[in-house]
Amino acid sequence: MNFTSEQRLDDGVLEREFTLGEIPGILWTPTSVPASASASTSTSASGPVPLILISPPPLGLRKMYPRLAGRARYYAAKYGFAAATIELPGAGDRPRWDAVEQARADLRRVMETGAPVGDELIDALILPLVERSVPEWQAALDALLSLPEIGGPVGYEGGVISIGVRLAVVEPRIVAAGFFAGSLVPAAMYEEASRVTIPLHVLLQWDDEGNDRQASLDLFDAFGSKEKTLHANLGGHTGVPQFELETGARFFARHLK
């Protein structure tokens, strides 16, 4: 992991950009103990803190920076968590990925016609992204947990829900996850979802124009976790209410401290 820049933000958060091989990323860490941090926790800004991995949608870190940084800075400033994100394969400044670019173009054409998105197209779009992204997230986790200021436990939230499902199955260091329902789910992921056992907090936009609501409900039902919560709100894809940031933060506070 090579840090390429850093800046101390006005809410007591240190933001550092880094590269991990060819993969760019951003790390946010608290520089002071937040007032809302539990007095019973042994972590502080001077010792190892828990970590939340924030997976972006495949739109590029620069484009998604305001949303990613807003969540990360909230977790760091109010709850004392570190938060990190990395660029997904084929997104942002990373090399173009022809197969996924073609699948995205095919998806746009289908959605413009109003026709249902077929399983073959969903598989072509999502499964290669899962296969390539998950090992990269695990490598990033190795590097992040080697830093003296980060000690775990680890939470995950994001982005492409299928990436989160796979990580929740294969990565024992992740102890809780927050998912955003949608992003087109391959049929194979439903079986994997049955093997997810960590606590889950799932957000669903009821009127998401690009999401099959019933498919999202079916996936939630498939999760094998004994603790799983679904928050459904009216509105489209980008209309997640602001108060859900705090409910998600409280979810992580219960499981990471």
Side-chain angles (χ1 to χ4, degrees):
M1 174 177 282
N2 178 40
F3 287 105
T4 58
S5 71
E6 73 173 50
Q7 59 175 329
R8 194 173 299 270
L9 306 174
D10 57 11
D11 50 4
V13 176
L14 179 65
E15 178 184 280
R16 287 174 284 176
E17 296 189 8
F18 64 85
T19 57
L20 190 65
E22 67 169 15
I23 306 168
I26 310 172
L27 171 64
W28 296 267
T29 49
T31 59
S32 60
V33 180
S36 60
S38 169
S40 64
T41 181
S42 62
T43 62
S44 72
S46 61
V49 299
L51 171 67
I52 300 176
L53 305 175
I54 304 179
S55 181
L59 301 174
L61 289 186
R62 298 303 170 194
K63 182 175 182 178
M64 298 306 301
Y65 174 83
R67 192 172 86 180
L68 297 169
R71 302 186 71 84
R73 292 173 66 174
Y74 189 86
Y75 296 145
K78 187 167 183 180
Y79 285 90
F81 299 142
T85 188
I86 59 173
E87 189 78 87
L88 294 182
D93 296 328
R94 294 189 64 180
R96 297 297 91 189
W97 190 357
D98 291 343
V100 171
E101 290 286 329
Q102 182 61 55
R104 289 173 182 163
D106 293 342
L107 175 65
R108 286 192 294 269
R109 283 194 291 271
V110 170
M111 295 188 74
E112 285 170 0
T113 68
V117 181
D119 290 344
E120 184 176 344
L121 177 53
I122 294 174
D123 289 354
L125 181 66
I126 301 298
L127 291 179
L129 187 60
V130 171
E131 295 293 336
R132 190 174 293 188
S133 297
V134 168
E136 292 183 351
W137 272 114
Q138 291 180 297
L141 186 53
D142 290 341
L144 291 162
L145 288 178
S146 72
L147 299 174
E149 63 267 38
I150 299 175
V154 180
Y156 170 92
E157 74 167 25
V160 178
I161 195 170
S162 294
I163 295 175
V165 171
R166 175 69 58 81
L167 273 170
V169 171
V170 304
E171 183 45 74
R173 293 173 291 184
I174 295 175
V175 302
F179 293 151
F180 297 94
S183 69
L184 304 173
V185 180
M189 299 309 299
Y190 289 82
E191 188 281 326
E192 290 196 39
S194 70
R195 293 187 276 131
V196 174
T197 59
I198 61 175
L200 298 177
H201 179 83
V202 183
L203 295 179
L204 170 64
Q205 285 303 102
W206 201 249
D207 308 300
D208 190 335
E209 57 279 5
N211 183 37
D212 184 326
R213 182 194 303 161
Q214 188 58 53
S216 294
L217 295 173
D218 291 343
L219 182 65
F220 181 80
D221 190 49
F223 286 125
S225 304
K226 291 183 179 179
E227 181 188 334
K228 56 181 179 179
T229 302
L230 177 68
H231 281 208
N233 291 285
L234 297 177
H237 183 73
T238 60
V240 178
Q242 183 64 26
F243 63 75
E244 290 290 7
L245 176 58
E246 174 60 18
T247 59
R250 289 201 303 266
F251 165 79
F252 284 120
R254 288 198 304 273
H255 297 289
L256 301 186
K257 288 193 173 182

